[in-house]
Amino acid sequence: MATEKYKELWSTLGLNLQNHDGLLQVLGKTYGGLFLTQKSRPQTMDYFNFVVSEIHGFRVAEIAKAKDSKDHPLVVGGYCTFIPEELVVAVGGIMIGLCAGAEVASEQAERYVPRNTCSLIKSTLGFKLAGVCPYLELCDLIVGELTCEGKSKAWEVFPDIIKKPFHVIEMPKTRGNDRSIKLLAEEYARFATKLEQLSGKKITPESLRAATEIVNAKRRALQRLADLRSADPAPISGLDSLLVNQIAFFDDPVRFTASVNKICDELETRIANKEWTNDQFPKGTPRLLISGCPMALPNWKVPAIVETSGAVIVGEETCTGERGFQKGQIEIPAEGMDVAQMIQKLSERYNCIDCAIFSENKSRLAHIEELVKRTKAQGVVLYGLHFCTSYLFEAMDFERQLEKKGIPTLRIETDYSAEDSAQLKTRLEAFIERIKQ
C-alpha cells in the first residue's frame, strides 16, 4: 500500500493519519492474502491490483489535481446505484461511491445511530468519524436517497456530521408504473438543477447524450464480463469479479471501461482455448449465485469463505453486481430530444433496478431465476446484513420459492465483523456438499 508520498495530501484533506495508516495496513494484508494468492488469475487483473495498492492514493491525487485546475469539476459522492451518474458527468463532474465495507469506529457511530443499524450505514458514518475516507473529503456535494428506512433516517443525521452540501433524492416505493417513473423523473430533474447550480454549467442535450454514452459503455463492459462467467471452468473468480464491480464506483469511467474490456478479451481467449484449465476452480466446481445486500469495498468476507470452501461464485444479484448494470443501455437518439425527455429515459431505466425497497417485487425473484439459468449456477446464497429489513424479508420468501423450484438455496445473515466467519464457513461447506450430491 502506497502511503508516504500521499501523506501531505491526506493531511490537507483532514484525515486522521494514525487511523488511516491502520486501515491501509489491514486492507493491504487482507487483499494480499485473499486475491494475490489465487491461482489462474487473469493477467489483466494487474490494473485492479494497482488500484487497490493505491486505494487512497493515485485516484485521490488525480481528483485533487482536477479540482485545482481551471475546470474545477464538481465532485459528487453518493451511496446508491439509483443516483444517476449520467447527470453528474453531464456537468463535467466526477461521481464517487462512498459506501463503506469495513467495520470502522462502530462505537463512535452508535452515538448517532441505533446499535441495530446495518453495517453499511454504520461503517459509512464510522469512516467519517474516524477520519479515514479521503474521497468524502474531496466531495463538493453528497447525495443520499430515500431507499431503506435506515438510510432515510440516517440522512437526517449525516449532514451535521459530514458538513458538506447534502442533497436527498426521494424514491418511489413501487415501480414499473407511470406514477413511480414520474416521481423519479421529477427527483432527477431537481437533482440536475442542483448540479447546474453548484457547477455553474448547464446540462444540454449534447452533454447529457455524451455522458449517457460514457456510462452506457461502462455498463456494457460489466455486462460483457458477467456474461463470460457462464463458462465452465469459470474463467475468473467471484472475488475478482466483485472487485471489478466495487472499483466501478470510484474509478475514472473511461479508463475503467477500457480496463474491464481488456479482462474480457483475455477471458474470451481462455474460453476459446479448449486446452486451458483453471487450477483454482477446475471444470465441474460447484457454482453459486450470490443475491442480496451490496458488498462495498473491502467487504469480501462471504465470497472469500465460499471460494475457499470448494465452490466458485459465478454471478451476483446485488448492487455491486448485476443491479449496477441491469437494463444498462439507455437509448437516446442523436437528435430530437430535449433534456427533460432524456431525464425521463434515465428514470425509466433506473426504475427497473431490482432493489428490495420496492413493494410487490416479483421481478427481482424472476431475475434471480434468470441469472441461475444464465450463469449455470447450482445454488443460490441469499446474503443479508443484520438489520437490513427489506432484503431479510424478501430472503425468507425467496428461499421458499426457489427451493420449491428445485434450486438449492441458503439464507445467511451477517455483518462486517469476523466473529461469525467459522460458523458461516461450516454452513457454506455443508451447502456446497449438498449441491455436490
Side-chain angles (χ1 to χ4, degrees):
M1 289 274 157
T3 56
E4 292 301 323
K5 64 180 177 179
Y6 297 113
K7 283 199 171 181
E8 183 178 350
L9 172 60
W10 295 334
S11 180
T12 300
L13 292 172
L15 298 193
N16 182 314
L17 297 183
Q18 182 178 355
N19 290 347
H20 188 248
D21 284 351
L23 175 67
L24 292 188
Q25 288 174 11
V26 172
L27 177 60
K29 182 178 179 180
T30 302
Y31 186 80
L34 292 181
F35 288 84
L36 302 184
T37 57
Q38 294 181 99
K39 301 175 183 177
S40 301
R41 285 189 90 203
Q43 291 183 355
T44 41
M45 283 301 298
D46 283 350
Y47 170 73
F48 297 90
N49 292 336
F50 165 75
V51 171
V52 175
S53 72
E54 293 267 343
I55 192 70
H56 287 172
F58 173 75
R59 180 61 173 154
V60 172
E62 182 178 53
I63 296 172
K65 183 178 179 180
K67 283 172 68 75
D68 287 338
S69 70
K70 63 178 183 179
D71 292 332
H72 188 88
L74 187 71
V75 181
V76 179
Y79 299 96
C80 188
T81 54
F82 280 106
I83 299 170
E85 184 178 5
E86 294 89 345
L87 294 177
V88 177
V89 177
V91 295
I94 297 170
M95 183 76 206
I96 299 292
L98 295 175
C99 289
E103 192 173 37
V104 172
S106 293
E107 290 186 6
Q108 286 179 266
E110 287 170 8
R111 288 160 39 200
Y112 300 93
V113 298
R115 187 176 184 183
N116 59 342
T117 300
C118 85
S119 294
L120 189 146
I121 296 172
K122 195 183 297 185
S123 66
T124 297
L125 178 55
F127 266 55
K128 170 59 181 177
L129 295 170
V132 296
C133 184
Y135 292 106
L136 174 61
E137 306 306 332
L138 283 167
C139 289
D140 301 301
L141 174 68
I142 307 296
V143 186
E145 77 307 325
L146 302 183
T147 46
C148 68
E149 290 82 357
K151 281 187 173 182
S152 296
K153 300 308 292 183
W155 302 152
E156 297 177 11
V157 177
F158 272 35
D160 289 340
I161 298 168
I162 293 174
K163 301 188 186 312
K164 299 267 186 181
F166 202 94
H167 181 86
V168 174
I169 294 176
E170 185 178 350
M171 291 295 301
K173 293 303 179 184
T174 60
R175 62 182 177 141
N177 56 69
D178 292 342
R179 285 179 295 122
S180 61
I181 294 171
K182 182 176 183 291
L183 172 60
L184 208 52
E186 290 171 351
E187 287 297 296
Y188 286 172
R190 193 168 61 86
F191 179 44
T193 299
K194 185 72 172 182
L195 294 172
E196 290 176 331
Q197 290 171 347
L198 291 178
S199 68
K201 297 178 181 178
K202 188 76 174 173
I203 296 176
T204 66
E206 292 75 20
S207 69
L208 186 49
R209 186 178 294 109
T212 300
E213 183 45 43
I214 288 172
V215 181
N216 275 350
K218 180 165 76 168
R219 294 193 185 116
R220 277 196 299 270
L222 289 170
Q223 184 67 67
R224 183 184 174 199
L225 175 61
D227 290 343
L228 290 169
R229 296 168 70 189
S230 63
D232 188 14
I236 187 171
S237 69
L239 272 171
D240 278 337
S241 298
L242 172 61
L243 178 68
V244 170
N245 279 275
Q246 290 171 331
I247 289 173
F249 284 89
F250 62 88
D251 197 13
D252 174 81
V254 175
R255 180 175 61 226
F256 172 83
T257 298
S259 300
V260 177
N261 280 321
K262 286 178 182 177
I263 295 176
C264 294
D265 291 342
E266 182 178 357
L267 298 189
E268 286 175 350
T269 300
R270 284 184 167 191
I271 293 168
N273 179 7
K274 302 303 180 184
E275 302 293 319
W276 181 79
T277 58
N278 189 328
D279 295 330
Q280 181 96 2
F281 305 110
K283 189 177 179 65
T285 297
R287 304 164 65 87
L288 297 182
L289 174 75
I290 299 283
S291 171
C293 292
M295 296 180 179
L297 195 150
N299 179 10
W300 304 312
K301 181 169 103 174
V302 170
I305 294 173
V306 169
E307 297 198 327
T308 56
S309 300
V312 60
I313 297 169
V314 292
E316 298 85 16
E317 190 275 321
T318 66
C319 301
T320 43
E322 289 274 335
R323 278 185 228 124
F325 48 88
Q326 183 183 8
K327 301 186 186 299
Q329 301 312 298
I330 300 170
E331 301 296 336
I332 294 180
E335 55 185 23
M337 265 194 183
D338 60 23
V339 170
Q341 290 170 318
M342 292 180 179
I343 289 177
Q344 176 74 15
K345 284 284 187 182
L346 293 181
S347 304
E348 291 170 1
R349 181 264 159 183
Y350 281 93
N351 192 242
C352 288
I353 294 175
D354 284 318
C355 181
I357 65 160
F358 294 118
S359 184
E360 293 295 328
N361 207 13
K362 295 178 181 178
S363 66
R364 182 176 165 233
L365 179 60
H367 187 213
I368 294 171
E369 294 172 11
E370 184 270 324
L371 282 175
V372 168
K373 293 178 182 177
R374 194 183 83 203
T375 62
K376 303 179 180 68
Q378 296 161 282
V380 175
V381 176
L382 296 172
Y383 164 79
L385 289 170
H386 289 317
F387 314 118
C388 182
T389 306
S390 299
Y391 280 101
L392 295 177
F393 255 96
E394 290 198 344
M396 296 181 75
D397 179 51
F398 288 4
E399 181 182 38
R400 290 190 293 267
Q401 298 295 334
L402 292 169
E403 287 284 356
K404 282 181 183 178
K405 295 183 179 182
I407 301 172
T409 304
L410 177 67
R411 177 166 50 92
I412 61 175
E413 185 179 339
T414 184
D415 56 21
Y416 287 172
S417 74
E419 293 178 1
D420 61 349
S421 293
Q423 181 190 53
L424 286 175
K425 187 170 180 64
T426 299
R427 293 185 63 205
L428 284 161
E429 286 176 341
F431 183 62
I432 292 165
E433 284 301 316
R434 175 190 169 194
I435 288 172
K436 287 180 178 178
Q437 294 174 0

